[in-house]
Amino acid sequence: MPQAAPPTVLCDAAAVATEAPARVEREGTAYAVFLLGERHYVTQDACTHGPGSLSEGTIDGEEVECPFHQGRFHIPTGRPTAPPCTEKLRVWPARLIDGRVCIDRE
Ligand code: FES
């Protein structure tokens, strides 16, 4: 029976603030780690519209506004909520393990 891959550790939970998401690169992929309320969320960092980095975006409720053309996404689902963004973000369920934000990449 194949063993499940170990979780990928992204960062210390304490390194993420609601107003200051974290950008983390692992094996060629850039992730944005968000804190909304008490919960962490992980999306791809790259905006689906262009070169914007969503970890540098502005948080408004459960949405992030891309700093490049001000498109928006719903962080928990990755759904685009304002133009020019039309393509969904990839999202990964985040887990806290020993105070660190982890994801299962597959
Ligand atoms: S690059 Fe993000 S809205 Fe254009």
Side-chain angles (χ1 to χ4, degrees):
M1 189 163 135
Q3 289 209 322
T8 298
V9 177
L10 295 182
C11 61
D12 284 341
V16 185
T18 300
E19 300 303 324
R23 181 181 191 278
V24 180
E25 271 195 50
R26 291 287 178 270
E27 295 179 28
T29 302
Y31 302 91
V33 185
F34 298 95
L35 177 65
L36 301 180
E38 302 286 308
R39 245 179 112 171
H40 291 84
Y41 295 88
V42 177
T43 72
Q44 67 185 67
D45 185 54
C47 181
T48 56
H49 177 256
S53 169
L54 296 173
S55 59
E56 295 174 10
T58 303
I59 308 301
D60 181 8
E62 291 192 330
E63 295 183 358
V64 58
E65 182 178 275
C66 177
F68 216 80
H69 304 111
Q70 288 71 52
R72 286 175 168 242
F73 298 92
H74 181 242
I75 293 167
T77 62
R79 181 173 48 86
T81 55
C85 303
T86 56
E87 196 180 319
K88 193 174 180 285
L89 294 174
R90 184 157 182 209
V91 297
W92 291 263
R95 295 194 273 148
L96 276 190
I97 302 175
D98 295 333
R100 297 181 298 179
V101 180
C102 302
I103 58 169
D104 295 314
R105 292 198 299 162
E106 298 312 314

